[in-house]
Amino acid sequence: MQSPASQPSCPKAWVCLHMIPALMAVGYPWYLAMFYQFRLSERIAEALLSLGLVFAVPGSAFVSLYALGRTPSMRSEGVVLRRVAYLAFVSPSLFVIVGVFLYLMKIDGKDVQVWVGFWLAILCAALLVLLGRRGPIAPAPSPVHMKAVRVMHGIAALVILLVFLVAHLVNHTFGMLGADAHREVMLVLRSVYRSPLVEPVLLTLLFFQIISGLVLVESKIRSRQGILDVLQTASGAYLAVFIASHINAVFVLARYFGTETDYTWATALPKGLLADPWNVRLIPHYVLGVWLVLAHIACGLRVVLVAHRVKRCRASAVCWALIVASTLWAAVIVAGAVGVRI
Ligand code: HEM
């Protein structure tokens, strides 16, 4: 993909290239359905190919964000395309929240229609905005302007990590030992994070993270970005939707209606996530939710290290090492969630 500055005579081709993630996102429900069907009929190669298409939606959006982030002088078209790419990147969790909302509204079997309608509206709006917007824009505001938000976002993240998130992910690691082992750990942890003192604070901090995170992503929408910067903002955008979707599922879909929110519920046991055409959407939602929350923390740590005068290359090396470790941890958690047991 070429930058607008290097290809001013051919903006249409450039715009079309960056529309690929949005166009791919339109087909997201079909890739999931194909994966489910092929796995059911044990056509493993086709199932893996379909799974590849599922992940190609956020994957292509990431490539687009990376290419747009390398643009030397940002044009206004680039800002619109970045917003569309962020939306495509969050597709896996967006499709879950759409499904849960429709289920709560008792609208049965219309997920695909709503999804396609939503994306056609986004594509139409983006093209209309692009028709009216051309040319270079003012440079991004200095990051100094966002310092207070960044510090508050970082402090809130640290509290969430220490009070809940590390324990929550350790809890899910026990999933590989089975639902009973997971439950034993969960009951101990619940006495802390479900206590009347901790739970409201935790939820307030999570909502603050969603809002402050989106403000920070927006503040970077005109900036040049390297790969770790893109990972940080894209994972932040993803988490905003993942956390909203996850909290809605836990508190509204389940707890409000008296459903026990244990591992059996979260991973659709005893049939499992792979054995139901609706639940299959939870697999990419969980894969990216766990992996990106860890990667996001690693990228945040890199910024903190650089701010404390650690050499940029050393901070990036620490960050990459943590991303590798995050990948392994996420793989173990997701393996347990899809039914692998030791
Ligand atoms: C494989 C991935 C995940 C699964 C299967 C999962 C599952 C669950 C389950 C079963 C609960 C209910 C716990 C209970 O009733 O005590 C829960 C609660 C929650 N999860 Fe997750 N989770 C996952 C990842 C995450 C991530 C990455 C985050 C944060 C970014 C997160 C944030 C939360 C929050 C805030 C709650 C509510 C805690 C409360 O009850 O106060 N989860 N999750």
Side-chain angles (χ1 to χ4, degrees):
M1 291 186 195
Q2 285 176 290
S3 73
S6 62
Q7 202 185 36
S9 60
C10 192
K12 274 189 195 144
W14 179 78
V15 167
C16 289
L17 263 180
H18 287 290
M19 280 293 177
I20 289 174
L23 291 168
M24 288 201 64
V26 179
Y28 187 77
W30 283 285
Y31 314 147
L32 280 173
M34 276 157 48
F35 169 64
Y36 170 75
Q37 285 298 340
F38 284 134
R39 206 206 71 88
L40 205 66
S41 47
E42 293 183 3
R43 289 162 69 179
I44 301 304
E46 288 96 332
L48 288 176
L49 206 70
S50 315
L51 196 61
L53 281 174
V54 167
F55 284 100
V57 175
S60 61
F62 189 87
V63 172
S64 180
L65 285 168
Y66 177 60
L68 290 164
R70 284 166 58 93
T71 305
S73 62
M74 180 57 74
R75 295 170 67 104
S76 52
E77 297 96 305
V79 174
V80 178
L81 293 169
R82 266 179 167 184
R83 291 203 172 108
V84 175
Y86 276 124
L87 212 49
F89 186 75
V90 305
S91 288
S93 288
L94 205 54
F95 191 53
V96 171
I97 205 166
V98 165
V100 171
F101 278 151
L102 291 176
Y103 177 83
L104 289 170
M105 289 190 282
K106 300 194 191 315
I107 300 174
D108 214 16
K110 299 289 178 220
D111 300 23
V112 174
Q113 288 91 327
V114 170
W115 182 258
V116 172
F118 169 79
W119 273 103
L120 291 182
I122 293 294
L123 280 165
C124 178
L127 291 173
L128 289 176
V129 173
L130 284 168
L131 274 179
R133 282 207 203 168
R134 286 289 146 92
I137 51 167
S142 151
V144 174
H145 290 124
M146 280 291 148
K147 195 174 172 203
V149 184
R150 282 162 66 196
V151 170
M152 286 190 282
H153 190 78
I155 293 170
L158 195 64
V159 177
I160 293 170
L161 259 178
L162 297 178
V163 172
F164 174 74
L165 194 59
V166 172
H168 191 53
L169 295 184
V170 168
N171 191 176
H172 294 328
T173 313
F174 277 79
M176 268 230 188
L177 300 175
D180 291 341
H182 184 280
R183 187 173 178 76
E184 272 178 44
V185 179
M186 185 183 71
L187 292 178
V188 176
L189 298 177
R190 259 186 194 174
S191 60
V192 179
Y193 66 72
R194 272 206 188 182
S195 72
L197 213 67
V198 175
E199 194 168 63
V201 175
L202 175 65
L203 291 178
T204 308
L205 288 177
L206 282 161
F207 285 120
F208 174 76
Q209 289 306 79
I210 294 177
I211 306 298
S212 57
L214 290 175
V215 168
L216 288 170
V217 171
E218 178 60 26
S219 76
K220 299 264 178 89
I221 201 103
R222 291 165 189 81
S223 309
R224 288 197 73 180
Q225 290 189 306
I227 191 157
L228 288 174
D229 306 310
V230 176
L231 184 58
Q232 186 167 26
T233 49
S235 57
Y238 192 90
L239 289 174
V241 182
F242 174 86
I243 293 171
S245 172
H246 195 50
I247 288 181
N248 178 55
V250 171
F251 285 87
V252 184
L253 177 68
R255 273 168 71 173
Y256 180 78
F257 293 103
T259 305
E260 166 63 306
T261 51
D262 56 8
Y263 202 60
T264 302
W265 167 77
T267 61
L269 293 172
K271 279 166 71 182
L273 295 176
L274 289 160
D276 180 273
W278 196 101
N279 284 333
V280 88
R281 77 185 70 188
L282 294 175
I283 297 170
H285 169 68
Y286 286 156
V287 169
L288 292 177
V290 176
W291 185 63
L292 290 176
V293 79
L294 295 171
H296 189 72
I297 294 162
C299 292
L301 181 69
R302 169 177 164 262
V303 175
V304 173
L305 290 177
V306 171
H308 286 81
R309 293 167 208 269
V310 175
K311 276 190 187 156
R312 196 166 277 273
C313 59
R314 190 164 292 176
S316 296
V318 171
C319 181
W320 281 115
L322 288 174
I323 289 170
V324 171
S326 306
T327 310
L328 297 176
W329 195 4
V332 172
I333 290 175
V334 173
V338 295
V340 177
R341 297 286 177 265
I342 51 170

